Amino acid sequence: LTELQDNNPYCADCGANNPQWVSINIGVIICVDCCGIHRGLGSHITKMRSLMLDNVELMTLQYLIKIGGNKKLNDELLEYNLSGTYKINYKNVNTKQRQDFIHYKYIKKLYINDTKEYVDFNDYLFESVINNDCFGVIFALFNEANIDHIFAKYNDKTVLQEAILSNYDQVTQLLLNNDATPMTQ
């Protein structure tokens, strides 16, 4: 927990100091004010937990660290195409501006990096799972990969089945926290 907080000293959305909330399905660490907006988006978009009040599972904390933190998520994915003039700052943002920014960032995905060479983000998702790459999983999901896609070329497996069979516990937990459907064969 200390490593996670030390590596994320500022809110991923507004830059406020000492953020205490985490989206366990996206991986961003945010402040209480931004958390309130995130909760309003619905748990199908972002699943919020308090780093201080909730019992966040160890496996979840491990994959959150493995994702790479707010800076990596923002620089390489979530705010890749964001002009500095549109970034909100906790010092001078009102509630409406905060709501709009978070809506554009996570619902409309206006700022995301969609420039990977891959045309098929389902394949990118499967390759990320094979490589035990938590950031790659988030990248693919934000680019509309289908988390429950059945891959004929991989013996009709889903990414969740591949993660389980490979004993990639952190990726498995990340997929489950993103609502992957457990299936049996």
Side-chain angles (χ1 to χ4, degrees), residues 149-163:
H149 183 78
I150 297 171
F151 293 85
K153 64 184 173 183
Y154 297 114
N155 298 319
D156 293 326
K157 285 190 280 190
T158 65
V159 289
L160 181 58
Q161 290 167 326
E162 180 63 30

Side-chain angles (χ1 to χ4, degrees), residues 48-103:
M48 299 309 305
R49 300 291 184 275
S50 168
L51 290 171
M52 298 290 109
L53 304 174
D54 293 325
N55 182 18
V56 181
E57 293 181 27
L58 177 61
M59 193 65 58
T60 300
L61 292 172
Q62 290 171 338
Y63 78 64
L64 290 168
I65 291 168
K66 196 171 179 180
I67 287 171
N70 289 346
K71 181 162 178 36
K72 179 174 178 129
L73 281 164
N74 279 341
D75 290 352
E76 297 181 28
L77 175 63
L78 301 173
E79 295 180 359
Y80 182 81
N81 289 308
L82 176 67
S83 163
T85 57
Y86 293 108
K87 176 76 174 170
I88 61 171
N89 186 302
Y90 72 98
K91 293 177 184 173
N92 59 9
V93 66
N94 64 41
T95 301
K96 173 77 168 105
Q97 291 167 325
R98 188 184 307 266
Q99 287 172 331
D100 288 348
F101 178 78
I102 290 171
H103 183 82

Side-chain angles (χ1 to χ4, degrees), residues 22 34 61 69 72 98-99 112 115 118 121 125 149 152-153:
V22 61
C34 289
L61 292 172
K72 179 174 178 129
R98 188 184 307 266
Q99 287 172 331
I112 69 165
T115 61
Y118 286 88
F121 280 100
L125 176 60
H149 183 78
K153 64 184 173 183

